[in-house]
Amino acid sequence: MDAEQMEYYKAKYQTLEDLPGVGPATASKLKEIGFRTVESVATAAVAELVTAGIGEATAEKVIQAARKSMAITFVRGDELVELRKQVRRLTTGCSSLDRLLDGGIETQSITEFYGEFGTGKSQICQQLCVTAQLPEEQGGLDGSALYIDTENTFRPERVMQIAPRFGIDPQEALKRIIYAEAYTSNHQTVLLENADEVIKENNVRLIIVDSVVGHFRSEYLGREMLAPRQQQLNKHLHKLIRLSRAFNAAAVITNQVMAQPDVFFAKVVQPVGGHIVGHMSHSRIFLRKGRNNLRIAKLTASPYLPEGEAPLRITEQGIESDDDV
Ligand SMILES: Nc1ncnc2c1ncn2[C@@H]1O[C@H](COP(=O)(O)OP(=O)(O)OP(=O)(O)O)[C@@H](O)[C@H]1O
Ligand SMILES: [Mg+2]
């Protein structure tokens, strides 16, 4: 973090107990529902605190104080420009993909990689865990990564293969990755809900959920389960966005695809998870297999970048493009 960023993130209140109106009882209620830091309280909703048994007036007061402390309040357009300056880009470590993304993936928002099995979604995630550790001058975030793995496909050995290409010692690289396997959708949700302290303590600047919808899809079966499923998914993604904002971290999710039922002649696929995931992902990148083991990344949604494509390869060293040396 540079000096300017430090100034912005230097919360006036350091711990929950510092917040006006928060005594030991309120602090423990907050912690019980996953709000352990001033940063995360600043992004909380009054209703969330009320369900934990905190009075509405107190909840409002506490959230306001946390927001003031974090400078999350109404801003003028010119101030918004200043706030946007806090957004950092994280290099993917693959030149063609970086060009497609105008330098890399953004902090304070969700980037979604979607595609069929074996297209490289998890490979990209593992590479990002390495590049996030690079200093900012080299396109990194000088931080750690948090990896929530729902499919048990994260491999430390793979990270160790990728790290040297970026000049990072393999063992050191692993020390800056915090890993959790999520066994159910509920477990996945709880892990993220309780992540704020881990994120703060370890200077996590990249949060990965690989894959985000898998458990939800296999557990919520049938039409009547669709609404509750989407509601839980919505909550989960909201938490992810809020954590990425509070800690100026990049959030990355992966997603499978399904064939669109009515299309006969062209093979059209779309990401699973419905409108919720699409709405919450700021940037969406579709991965597909090309000839000669090539992978093609296509930017299908971005707040301000044009659509485009980038060829890449999965090699021993990670994700690369032909102009990477
Ligand atoms: N060390 C390596 N060298 C070269 N290619 C590798 C290496 N490790 C993995 N791969 C390739 O990466 C691909 C798998 O990519 P990945 O696991 O990222 O897919 P995915 O998109 O996450 O799939 P899924 O939907 O099943 O999770 C395979 O084609 C595999 O051959
Ligand atoms: Mg995968």
Side-chain angles (χ1 to χ4, degrees):
M1 268 192 215
D2 57 29
E4 188 193 353
Q5 247 184 315
M6 284 301 287
E7 195 54 43
Y8 173 63
Y9 280 97
K10 198 175 64 195
K12 207 165 69 187
Y13 304 112
Q14 301 295 337
T15 68
L16 290 184
E17 287 84 352
D18 294 343
L19 287 166
V22 178
T26 307
S28 82
K29 282 177 194 160
L30 284 169
K31 286 175 188 168
E32 243 166 64
I33 55 165
F35 293 100
R36 294 186 179 75
T37 61
V38 176
E39 286 86 342
S40 63
V41 171
T43 63
V46 172
E48 283 177 297
L49 306 200
V50 170
T51 52
I54 296 168
E56 194 166 322
T58 308
E60 264 168 32
K61 194 171 138 200
V62 166
I63 293 170
Q64 282 311 323
R67 285 193 183 151
K68 280 229 178 71
S69 170
M70 293 291 300
I72 304 178
T73 172
F74 280 116
V75 291
R76 290 194 315 259
D78 58 334
E79 292 167 336
L80 192 59
V81 173
E82 286 304 308
L83 284 178
R84 284 281 308 164
K85 279 188 190 159
Q86 311 303 329
V87 171
R88 293 288 176 270
R89 280 185 188 281
L90 165 61
T91 177
T92 63
C94 169
S95 306
S96 62
L97 196 51
D98 276 358
R99 275 195 298 277
L100 184 70
L101 299 171
D102 196 25
I105 63 165
E106 277 192 344
T107 61
Q108 297 187 31
S109 66
I110 297 183
T111 301
E112 175 188 4
F113 288 95
Y114 67 100
E116 286 179 353
F117 69 93
T119 46
K121 304 180 293 292
S122 300
Q123 297 296 319
I124 289 177
C125 290
Q126 290 171 85
Q127 178 148 313
L128 287 169
C129 286
V130 174
T131 59
Q133 303 182 24
L134 291 168
E136 293 199 2
E137 312 84 77
Q138 290 177 44
L141 297 172
D142 202 5
S144 314
L146 179 72
Y147 204 112
I148 298 180
D149 187 0
T150 71
E151 295 174 334
N152 185 23
T153 51
F154 176 86
R155 293 289 174 273
E157 299 79 15
R158 188 62 178 135
V159 169
M160 292 173 81
Q161 276 181 336
I162 297 171
R165 181 167 139 226
F166 298 98
I168 296 177
D169 178 74
Q171 288 296 340
E172 292 305 312
L174 290 177
K175 286 185 193 160
R176 292 175 83 183
I177 300 172
I178 296 138
Y179 174 86
E181 187 178 354
Y183 300 103
T184 64
S185 67
N186 182 255
H187 186 208
Q188 177 182 337
T189 306
V190 169
L191 281 171
L192 200 65
E193 265 164 19
N194 292 294
D196 66 336
E197 211 170 29
V198 163
I199 291 171
K200 189 172 183 169
E201 277 169 7
N202 294 281
N203 186 32
V204 166
R205 302 293 305 283
L206 169 68
I207 308 166
I208 291 172
V209 185
D210 178 22
S211 76
V212 75
V213 187
H215 283 318
F216 290 91
R217 264 187 108 198
S218 58
E219 292 167 21
Y220 291 79
L221 296 169
R223 259 189 115 72
E224 68 285 1
M225 294 300 272
L226 197 61
R229 182 191 91 173
Q230 292 307 83
Q231 197 185 359
Q232 287 309 309
L233 198 53
N234 189 20
K235 209 174 124 199
H236 183 51
L237 291 169
H238 252 290
K239 184 72 193 186
L240 184 59
I241 290 192
R242 291 189 286 166
L243 288 171
S244 79
R245 294 263 160 80
F247 296 98
N248 198 16
V252 173
I253 57 176
T254 68
N255 202 353
Q256 296 132 329
V257 293
M258 58 180 176
Q260 218 162 275
D262 316 311
V263 183
F264 287 102
F265 298 106
K267 189 176 171 193
V268 175
V269 290
Q270 60 181 27
V272 299
H275 296 303
I276 301 278
V277 180
H279 182 72
M280 302 281 247
S281 304
H282 301 95
S283 303
R284 314 189 91 182
I285 298 139
F286 174 56
L287 292 165
R288 68 173 197 271
K289 292 180 184 177
R291 279 165 197 272
N292 299 324
N293 215 19
L294 204 67
R295 298 289 188 278
I296 295 115
K298 180 176 181 177
L299 187 64
T300 55
S302 161
Y304 57 92
L305 293 173
E307 288 191 358
E309 290 196 339
L312 45 96
R313 283 179 199 288
I314 309 170
T315 71
E316 197 70 22
Q317 285 75 42
I319 299 278
E320 298 182 88
S321 60
D322 289 341
D323 52 344
D324 284 317
V325 276

